Amino acid sequence: MTVRRLGAGLVAAALITPALAACANGTGTAGSTPSPTVTASGTASPSGAPVAGDAKQALLDSTKEISNGNFRFTLAGAGSTAEGLVHQPSQSAAMKIAIGGPSSDLAMKLDVIHFKPDSWVKLELSGPTANSLPAIKQLNLGKYQHLDQTRIKGNRNLGFDFEKVDPAGSAVLTQGITEVRSTGTGAYAGTIDVTKAAEAGSLNAATIAALGTQAKTVPFTAKVDPQGRLSELVLQMPAAGQTAAQEIKMTYSDYGAATAAQKPPANQVVEAPAELYSLFN
């Protein structure tokens, strides 16, 4: 495990990918496979639930409100968690990220704030690797490090694209639905083809490749709120290579009611050193 590997694909790009489990020594949670589903072509459900085509359209429609960029979210999986908010009206976003735990070789916590045109990150590293490398210790400043936008442009680890406001790329994921059925009011289950999920930063390309043909039929469950907006999407990722089967969960809430991110106080801000950019590139 290397420091550079931990930096590769942070936040949505790989925060929720099983690839990070190897860094954090996480095992994940194996989920049960949903019962057989009808195809997404529109076959009627024998139970009287909406036909599959209607169910898929409901899930496709459920992600539209996300593009308005005013919500709170959580991500969890691969020994990593994230929670935050996106507030497009103020061009701001914030997220707190944790990768690994007490038993990890290298654990990382980040507090990231974006308030266009500025970005800041407060970094905390722990574990045997962090304690043995002086260069890493220099990054534990306990303050927010102001980021040079020219050095993080296009970097999914530290940057944020206000043209693509969904940290998990749920719209792309739902477009990959291959089978789906209604399991109750506002609840669905089925399978998703995740082979194109890397384009939206939902999953790591290497992880998708390791899944092989399983990537085309990843089991999922989803929930929508009373207004039909996506509130939860859970992927039951099969075992791939050395990564155990596990659950990846995304939630959305407070649609239209999120508040602007708060800029860090000036006395808690320093300019980011070159070492920080090296860690995440």
Side-chain angles (χ1 to χ4, degrees), residues 17 78 114 118 135 144 154 161 165 171 178 180 187 200 203 233 241 252-253 257 262:
T17 66
H114 303 286
D118 293 299
Y144 288 91
D161 186 353
V165 297
T178 52
V180 62
L203 297 171
L233 179 61
Y252 299 87
S253 61
Q262 298 297 306

Side-chain angles (χ1 to χ4, degrees), residues 217-267:
T217 55
V218 173
F220 81 93
T221 60
K223 295 179 181 178
V224 300
D225 66 15
Q227 289 73 42
R229 303 168 300 194
L230 185 67
S231 60
E232 179 183 288
L233 179 61
V234 180
L235 303 181
Q236 301 292 349
M237 302 296 293
Q242 297 181 341
T243 303
Q246 63 187 287
E247 179 180 278
I248 295 176
K249 183 177 181 179
M250 313 156 214
T251 70
Y252 299 87
S253 61
D254 289 350
Y255 284 107
T259 56
Q262 298 297 306
K263 297 180 181 179
N267 63 359

